[in-house]
Amino acid sequence: MEHRITICTSCTHTGTQCRPGYELIERLRTAIADAGDAVTDAFEISGVACMAGCDRPCTVAYHGTRKATYLFGDIDPETDIGDLLAFARQYAELDDGWCSSVDRPGKLRSTTLARVPAAIVAIEQTEARAS
């Protein structure tokens, strides 16, 4: 797999014990499998205990080899699957993973918590300065 979607499994809705991450993982896996296009083969979906987005459950990260990483918060497994699938398609096509917030689908325009540049860029620039 060259792309990964990681979903927080410890996020809870305020005042409840509900952990929407597990439901989100299953719904997104199903949506990607049902998509029947390049996204099906390009992404692995997994859960992780915490991504420090506790105030904005549920958090979802997109990462890829030599690509910027995105962290989204306030994701609802019942209403946001379409936006997550659309972003997976978009992200798979981006050479460096970089896109503007206005180019992200639906709710993901306003729920981005972080965009982290690919680590390889920092390494390449450091090596260039050293020579």
Side-chain angles (χ1 to χ4, degrees), residues 27-28 42 77 119 123 130:
R27 286 180 181 237
L28 190 54
I123 292 169

Side-chain angles (χ1 to χ4, degrees), residues 53-131:
C54 305
D55 291 337
R56 307 272 304 271
C58 186
T59 54
V60 177
Y62 285 73
H63 2 232
T65 305
R66 297 180 180 251
K67 289 187 173 189
T69 295
Y70 286 86
L71 181 64
F72 300 102
D74 297 321
I75 303 301
D76 185 324
E78 292 185 23
T79 60
D80 298 329
I81 295 298
D83 290 342
L84 294 172
L85 182 58
F87 187 72
R89 285 188 176 107
Q90 179 183 13
Y91 188 76
E93 296 296 319
L94 297 168
D95 290 334
D96 59 1
W98 206 262
C99 69
S100 170
S101 62
V102 298
D103 295 328
R104 292 178 213 135
K107 184 177 178 179
L108 302 184
R109 290 182 187 118
S110 62
T111 61
T112 305
L113 302 178
R115 175 178 57 201
V116 181
I120 193 71
V121 173
I123 292 169
E124 288 173 351
Q125 289 177 352
T126 302
E127 289 174 356
R129 278 188 261 158
S131 51

